[in-house]
């Protein structure tokens, strides 16, 4: 436990990056869309994605920032993993609560007085506040852990292996795209996601757990650089 607490304290040193920057990124996107909405009227924006991608970035950069530093001070790899995942969890939960509050304000003000749909998108309009919070938490954790997995691979096997895996993934997706086109299944796939837009997000949970497990195993075998 002391090791995990030390990891969390180290992450807390970068308070500006973790506590302030995600919301500054979100705020800049929101203000831009609000200004646009004041001129063109009611519209739905995808600007909320900015904070998700920022969380992905945080997951990517956290290991290069302090993994070697903390191991140099005697922190165990296991403690680093659990301390970092705990830190992720707290921050992603806080971000989910913030988005839920902002969504309720947006609904109460009819889109901030301009009809802007920034936090309350059409496919999640019928969700309760708790469901919206849970959905955001699942999505945030998926993005953050996915980012965390990438430097874990680099730390264990090097950047060349990660590049090879990315190429392999591109090839697999390309082949899958060709097969879907050949069998004319794009309409079926589109209908599935239109019908199950919200439900499909819950499938991110097993991927998040698997990615976290792989990251843990990779970090346990990684070297200090």
């Amino acid at each position: 436990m002391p090791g995990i607490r030390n990891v969390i304290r180290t992450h807390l040193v970068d308070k500006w990056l973790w506590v302030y920057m995600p919301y500054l990124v979100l705020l800049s996107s929101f203000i831009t869309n609000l200004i646009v909405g004041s001129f063109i009227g009611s519209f739905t924006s995808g600007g909320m994605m900015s904070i998700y991608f920022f969380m992905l970035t945080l997951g990517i950069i956290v290991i290069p920032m302090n993994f070697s530093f903390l191991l140099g001070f005697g922190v165990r790899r296991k403690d680093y993993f659990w301390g970092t995942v705990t830190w992720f969890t707290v921050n992603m939960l806080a971000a989910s609560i913030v988005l839920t509050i902002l969504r309720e304000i947006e609904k109460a003000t009819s889109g901030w007085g301009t009809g802007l749909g920034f936090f309350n998108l059409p496919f999640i309009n019928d969700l309760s506040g708790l469901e919206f919070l849970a959905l955001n938490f699942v999505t945030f954790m998926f993005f953050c852990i996915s980012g965390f997995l990438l430097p874990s691979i680099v730390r264990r096997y090097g950047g060349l292996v990660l590049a090879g895996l990315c190429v392999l993934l591109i090839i697999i997706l390309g082949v899958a795209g060709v097969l879907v086109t050949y069998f004319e299944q794009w309409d079926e796939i589109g209908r599935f996601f239109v019908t199950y837009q919200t439900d499909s997000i819950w499938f991110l949970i097993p991927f998040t757990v698997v990615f976290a497990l792989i990251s843990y195993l990779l970090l346990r075998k990684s070297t200090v650089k």
Side-chain angles (χ1 to χ4, degrees), residues 61-185:
I61 66 175
V62 65
I63 289 178
M65 285 177 60
N66 53 35
F67 180 74
S68 296
F69 171 78
L70 284 167
L71 262 61
F73 279 91
V75 172
R76 297 181 301 174
R77 290 168 174 81
K78 180 172 68 173
D79 290 339
Y80 179 85
F81 173 83
W82 287 113
T84 302
V85 169
T86 301
W87 180 248
F88 285 165
T89 302
V90 171
N91 280 275
M92 299 311 109
L93 180 59
S96 301
I97 293 172
V98 169
L99 292 189
T100 302
I101 293 172
L102 292 173
R103 178 202 184 220
E104 294 304 314
I105 295 174
E106 181 171 285
K107 291 172 67 176
T109 57
S110 300
W112 311 97
T114 66
L116 173 64
F118 190 87
F119 300 100
N120 188 41
L121 304 178
F123 72 96
I124 57 174
N125 186 56
D126 295 330
L127 295 181
S128 68
L130 186 60
E131 288 173 327
F132 180 77
L133 189 153
L135 198 70
N136 274 286
F137 178 70
V138 168
T139 308
F140 275 132
M141 287 299 294
F142 173 76
F143 273 81
C144 209
I145 295 297
S146 296
F148 189 67
L149 174 62
L150 301 181
S152 298
I153 295 171
V154 173
R155 182 65 59 168
R156 179 66 179 91
Y157 295 111
L160 191 60
V161 171
L162 177 61
L165 290 173
C166 290
V167 171
L168 178 62
L169 179 61
I170 291 171
I171 292 173
I172 292 172
L173 292 176
V175 172
V178 170
L179 291 174
V180 171
T181 302
Y182 179 79
F183 290 106
E184 300 179 347
Q185 293 297 306

Side-chain angles (χ1 to χ4, degrees), residues 193-205:
F193 282 106
V194 168
T195 305
Y196 302 102
Q197 292 179 81
T198 304
D199 294 336
S200 61
I201 296 178
W202 300 115
F203 288 104
L204 297 178
I205 295 176

